[in-house]
Amino acid sequence: SDLCTVQPGVINVLFFFWSMPWEAIAPYHPDCIVVNFEPMVPGTHAWRDSYLNLLKQCYLWEYSRSNFQRNRELGLRVADYVPLAYEEGAAPVLPLEDVLPDAEQDIDVVFFGSMTQRRVDLLHALMARGVRLVVTNGRDWSVEGRDGSLRPATLVLNFHNWDNSRVVEIGRLSILFRQRKAVVCELYPDSEIDPILRDAVVGAPYDALVDTVLALLADPVRRAALERAGLPLLRRLSQTAHVGPALQRFLRWRRQQDLAALPAHTAVR
């Protein structure tokens, strides 16, 4: 969220601005679209007065349907639902023939993400069961470092940082599917995820995640099927199909702002 990249007179699409106050963006409004990639529930790192105020003032692209359906409760004035999906070329794709055989995978589980107590507790439970675990929190988040940790891992764990979150992080899953990883994902009947992608992961509630990880580690046939299934299923969800119409809706709104700013015509007598 480096403001030196925001320019006047052009459309700016702003990502990860949850730590930026509205006052820093206001001079560029209405030429900014703020994209929210955060589950908006109390207790999360994004649930802070400054970010909630920014969301109320900006033109918002909201990635989560459940967030979007709370727009009145959150006080959002101009919000559009633009879900995350697949975009060709957005990140590297590992060819299937480059997937390491089991004998060369010296990591059982990789976990990406910030640490909350519920995550620490579960990761400790995995280690207590003898799982070889790599946690990348606070380490190398370059593409090379991230993918270097993923490639020798047997599977990846994806689970929420807060008990009250039900938005499955498709941005993270997109990376994992491109890297041909089998994924164990915290999942419930009411989880927010496209139905297509439920078959791309092994889903389980929080209390069953440890046993589910152990079962998948012991099942090379199922892991191989998941490594092949994830990316083709994700590719059925087109990001372009969402962003194109969303841009058109923004441009119509933007023209209305220009018209509203014109001085009123003087009546002819």
Side-chain angles (χ1 to χ4, degrees), residues 56-235:
K56 293 173 185 177
Q57 307 295 329
C58 71
Y59 188 100
L60 176 66
W61 278 359
E62 173 55 65
Y63 87 126
S64 161
R65 185 179 295 279
S66 58
N67 284 353
F68 183 69
Q69 289 172 339
R70 297 174 60 206
N71 61 354
R72 290 186 179 179
E73 175 189 344
L74 295 173
L76 308 182
R77 296 192 302 180
V78 190
D80 196 1
Y81 172 57
V82 187
L84 283 172
Y86 176 78
E87 183 67 33
E88 189 70 38
V93 171
L94 184 73
L96 272 173
E97 58 268 23
D98 289 346
V99 173
L100 292 177
D102 282 7
E104 297 180 30
Q105 294 174 345
D106 56 7
I107 300 170
D108 290 329
V109 177
V110 163
F111 171 74
F112 288 90
S114 58
M115 286 298 173
T116 55
Q117 193 60 50
R118 81 188 304 268
R119 283 178 166 172
V120 170
D121 291 345
L122 192 137
L123 296 173
H124 282 169
L126 283 172
M127 289 187 290
R129 300 285 290 272
V131 171
R132 297 172 299 175
L133 177 69
V134 167
V135 178
T136 57
N137 179 54
R139 301 198 316 166
D140 189 351
W141 274 92
S142 69
V143 172
E144 294 79 11
R146 179 198 69 202
D147 295 350
S149 296
L150 288 174
R151 191 155 183 255
T154 304
L155 61 87
V156 182
L157 179 60
N158 181 52
F159 69 117
H160 300 308
N161 53 355
W162 303 101
D163 288 321
N164 54 353
S165 178
R166 286 294 185 271
V167 183
V168 177
E169 296 300 342
I170 302 304
R172 183 181 287 116
L173 289 183
S174 174
I175 293 170
L176 303 181
F177 295 154
R178 292 170 192 265
Q179 291 299 306
R180 311 291 188 172
K181 303 314 299 183
V183 181
V184 171
C185 184
E186 185 176 1
L187 208 58
Y188 303 91
D190 63 342
S191 290
E192 184 178 341
I193 184 173
D194 193 285
I196 290 173
L197 297 182
R198 283 185 176 266
D199 293 331
V201 300
V202 176
Y206 180 85
D207 291 342
L209 284 175
V210 171
D211 288 340
T212 302
V213 165
L214 294 173
L216 189 57
L217 287 173
D219 192 342
V221 173
R222 192 175 189 192
R223 289 200 314 272
L226 290 167
E227 291 166 357
R228 286 167 169 78
L231 187 59
L233 288 171
L234 179 67
R235 280 179 166 149

